[in-house]
Amino acid sequence: MGFFSFVQEIAMDLGTANTIIIQGDKIVVDQPSVVAIDRDTNQMIAVGERAKSMYEKTNDRIKTVRPLRDGVIADFSACEMMMRGLIKMVHTGRHLFSPSLRMVIGVPSGSTEVELRAVRDSAEHADGRDVYLIFEPMAAAVGIGIDVEAPEGNMIVDIGGGSTEIAVISLGGIVCNQSIRVAGDELTADIQEYMSRQHNVRVSERMAERIKIHVGSALAELPDSEAPDDYLIHGPNRITALPMEVTVCYQEIAHCIDKTVAKIESAIMQALENTPPELYADIVKNGIWLTGGGANLRGLDTRLENKIGIPFHIAEEPLLSVAKGAGIALKNIDKFSFLMR
């Protein structure tokens, strides 16, 4: 719908690491889920990219908050501020909201009633009038282009920042799902801990994130065409605080994140164990879809395929699958029965 209609419609993937907002088929906001707050006045100073640039660099007056942890809201008022700030970005340069804001928001499939209520309340406080929730694996499946209402089994593995959602979908519903609080953030923490222990160098969360992007790998042996160059980092020595320069290669990162990747592997195996045989046969035929930022980890699809023996496909734009699916659901609210009101 256009800007001048009575109902503004937006679809939101409220993620631990990034929040994406879609309006009218267009991605209008794609920002880190971070908010900077003035401690004295408790007012928001910045949100998204600007707040992230302050992360781990603030003074006593400013605090930066990631309102979501492990895929759920950890700081209710900060989440509300962040949602308000990000929704405002959609409307920069125009008058603010028309009377009604209709929203579809992706939520983890393992969410409790209390967690779902928290998302709904935050959205309503951020001016949402009609708020619909959709489970992230379902949204991802719709975003990839799977016919979720067909009598056929499809498996989605959505590896986000805070949680990994694994779901088997058939006839417009989730047949079985595994939701584990192990995902991108855990890989980043592994890298921080490894750098400290192995190289005696202190690295920030943001630096560990950059290491993961530049040389992260799920396999210790990658084909030459996929192998990234070594990555050079600078940081203080953990003991002497003198500056250090350390070169990191993908093999050592593969080694340090191995246990966390293994947890994701075993969660997929568990979901497959709980899958009815007819749907299992469909999954073997169709393969398993990887979405979310974690799907971009080098060699992950190959490692999972070798371990589980079922083909793995990476979605075309894995980071956007949930938001795209939420956007499609928004357009077809009356048709999609799996939207929760």
Side-chain angles (χ1 to χ4, degrees):
M1 290 208 178
F3 273 104
F4 301 104
S5 56
F6 288 100
V7 181
Q8 291 283 8
E9 295 194 329
I10 62 171
M12 183 183 284
D13 172 12
L14 186 63
T16 306
N18 290 293
T19 295
I20 298 166
I21 299 178
I22 285 187
Q23 185 180 47
D25 287 342
K26 281 212 304 287
I27 289 164
V28 285
V29 171
D30 181 355
Q31 296 277 338
S33 301
V34 185
V35 58
I37 299 167
D38 185 315
R39 286 179 195 272
D40 302 335
T41 60
N42 209 26
Q43 296 294 309
M44 182 175 78
I45 300 169
V47 68
E49 204 60 68
R50 266 194 65 216
K52 185 167 184 182
S53 68
M54 302 176 185
Y55 193 63
E56 300 183 311
K57 293 184 178 183
T58 54
N59 55 36
D60 290 348
R61 191 175 59 81
I62 299 169
K63 64 173 177 178
T64 51
V65 182
R66 290 180 63 189
L68 290 105
R69 282 275 163 202
D70 302 335
V72 295
I73 296 174
D75 185 329
F76 191 76
S77 68
C79 184
E80 206 177 294
M81 274 186 216
M82 181 183 83
M83 283 171 92
R84 229 180 245 280
L86 293 173
I87 291 168
K88 244 183 206 156
M89 287 182 183
V90 180
H91 301 273
T92 44
R94 303 181 186 258
H95 65 285
L96 275 184
F97 302 127
S98 48
S100 181
L101 180 65
R102 179 185 275 175
M103 301 168 80
V104 171
I105 302 175
V107 290
S109 56
S111 302
T112 62
E113 283 303 316
V114 174
E115 289 161 353
L116 296 176
R117 181 79 250 168
V119 173
R120 193 183 297 285
D121 286 350
S122 283
E124 284 168 358
H125 289 158
D127 295 331
R129 298 286 180 276
D130 281 338
V131 179
Y132 295 86
L133 304 179
I134 180 171
F135 284 134
E136 283 164 0
M138 184 63 90
V142 173
I144 291 167
I146 292 170
D147 178 2
V148 292
E149 300 192 271
E152 180 174 55
N154 280 291
M155 189 182 230
I156 306 289
V157 179
D158 178 26
I159 307 169
S163 65
T164 295
E165 309 285 317
I166 302 154
V168 175
I169 292 165
S170 174
L171 292 167
I174 291 178
V175 181
C176 56
N177 73 307
Q178 280 286 106
S179 181
I180 58 167
R181 305 272 159 102
V182 174
D185 285 352
E186 188 109 347
L187 299 173
T188 306
D190 286 348
I191 293 169
Q192 264 185 296
E193 196 267 333
Y194 173 82
M195 296 304 290
S196 169
R197 181 170 41 85
Q198 191 68 25
H199 293 290
N200 263 338
V201 62
R202 280 193 302 132
V203 300
S204 67
E205 193 179 312
R206 285 173 69 191
M207 175 63 80
E209 176 84 21
R210 288 197 288 271
I211 294 171
K212 181 174 75 181
I213 291 165
H214 286 282
V215 286
S217 169
L219 288 174
E221 284 181 37
L222 286 171
D224 289 346
S225 57
E226 286 175 40
D229 295 334
D230 292 354
Y231 187 56
L232 184 67
I233 65 149
H234 297 87
N237 184 297
R238 195 164 58 100
I239 297 152
T240 64
L242 293 170
M244 286 181 73
E245 199 174 77
V246 178
T247 306
V248 194
C249 64
Y250 80 84
Q251 287 94 341
E252 45 180 336
I253 299 304
H255 167 70
C256 90
I257 63 175
D258 180 65
K259 282 198 177 84
T260 301
V261 176
K263 285 180 194 168
I264 295 171
E265 261 173 19
S266 62
I268 297 171
M269 299 286 284
Q270 210 170 333
L272 284 166
E273 274 170 31
N274 299 332
T275 304
E278 279 297 312
L279 295 178
Y280 192 102
D282 291 339
I283 291 165
V284 173
K285 182 175 94 227
N286 296 333
I288 296 172
W289 287 92
L290 285 174
T291 72
N296 289 325
L297 184 65
R298 292 173 191 82
L300 182 63
D301 51 340
T302 312
R303 172 171 169 163
L304 292 170
E305 207 165 298
N306 294 344
K307 171 88 178 183
I308 295 167
I310 295 174
F312 275 76
H313 315 293
I314 298 174
E316 200 177 320
E317 292 176 293
L319 275 165
L320 306 178
S321 305
V322 171
K324 280 183 184 166
I328 294 166
L330 179 66
K331 280 204 209 131
N332 303 289
I333 275 178
D334 305 332
K335 181 179 148 232
F336 284 155
S337 54
F338 46 75
L339 280 167
M340 296 175 297
R341 183 62 198 274

